[in-house]
Amino acid sequence: GEVSRDYAHVLTEAGMVYLELSQFKSAESMFQKALEIEKQIGGEKSDDYASYLCQLANVYREINEYDKAESTYKKALEIQESKGYEALVTYYELSVLYQLISNFSSAEEMCLKALARDEILFGKNSNNCLGDLNLLANNYTLLGNYDKALNIYLSIVEKGKEILGENSTDYAVYL
């Protein structure tokens, strides 16, 4: 039926396709419908509800409605922060948003939160941490703090070689 978790998931999949096609109104509509269904089924504190909020926030970010994107990401984060992995994606997305609006101190804060959580969940020598460090270094580059950015980039190259191996395509991305 139309009030089921499966139907809500299908709506979000359709929403992601609309987002890829830059059909933002349709994407927004799909995510809002999924949110309404999840609100009825699992409530406003469920993991799925938070996930759908993040998807909706991605739409707002894409259409330059940055205030709506930020508040929607933050609603998702309120649900996710007590959990493990789910908050990582939202920290990352918020960091990207903050970089877009030149709020580099908030972007740095989100990068550092993601990094700290990744270190706890996956260890300091994980590929996830390399991605967080890369985003952090990018943030410092945008700030014009080139020395700090360069130190992090060099650290990523060194750690990436150790973690991923010289012949890894993932390692090549960091070169």
Side-chain angles (χ1 to χ4, degrees):
E2 287 193 17
V3 181
S4 71
R5 194 158 269 143
D6 288 340
Y7 187 67
H9 284 294
V10 169
L11 289 171
T12 61
E13 293 296 323
M16 287 187 272
V17 172
Y18 282 128
L19 186 59
E20 284 295 316
L21 295 171
S22 299
Q23 294 180 15
F24 302 116
K25 288 293 179 198
S26 295
E28 180 182 16
S29 175
M30 295 293 112
F31 295 129
Q32 286 175 336
K33 287 177 185 173
L35 279 165
E36 283 304 311
I37 292 168
E38 185 57 32
K39 186 177 182 179
Q40 293 174 39
I41 297 170
E44 294 183 53
K45 298 292 181 192
S46 74
D47 292 342
D48 284 337
Y49 193 82
S51 176
Y52 302 158
L53 283 170
C54 286
Q55 296 298 336
L56 182 59
N58 290 341
V59 173
Y60 294 144
R61 186 181 67 205
E62 289 298 315
I63 59 175
N64 302 328
E65 291 187 21
Y66 299 131
D67 289 340
K68 280 175 112 173
E70 180 182 24
S71 67
T72 307
Y73 283 131
K74 284 183 173 182
K75 279 185 202 174
L77 206 49
E78 287 174 19
I79 300 165
Q80 297 169 329
E81 280 196 308
S82 64
K83 298 170 176 45
Y85 182 77
E86 291 86 0
L88 285 171
V89 175
T90 308
Y91 289 142
Y92 180 88
E93 297 293 353
L94 264 169
S95 181
V96 170
L97 172 68
Y98 288 139
Q99 287 179 356
L100 283 171
I101 61 174
S102 300
N103 183 345
F104 300 114
S105 63
S106 293
E108 177 184 28
E109 178 187 350
M110 292 300 113
C111 288
L112 292 173
K113 284 185 175 190
L115 180 60
R117 181 124 346 161
D118 266 332
E119 287 176 349
I120 291 167
L121 293 173
F122 304 107
K124 288 185 178 189
N125 293 324
S126 71
N127 194 21
N128 287 33
C129 289
L130 294 176
D132 297 333
L133 288 168
N134 193 55
L135 188 60
L136 184 61
N138 184 53
N139 192 59
Y140 291 136
T141 300
L142 292 171
L143 266 171
N145 191 339
Y146 300 115
D147 289 339
K148 206 168 191 176
L150 183 58
N151 285 335
I152 294 172
Y153 283 131
L154 292 174
S155 168
I156 292 168
V157 170
E158 185 179 306
K159 285 183 178 184
K161 184 177 180 180
E162 179 184 314
I163 295 167
L164 304 168
E166 280 185 77
N167 297 323
S168 167
T169 55
D170 288 337
Y171 173 64
V173 169
Y174 295 117
L175 293 177

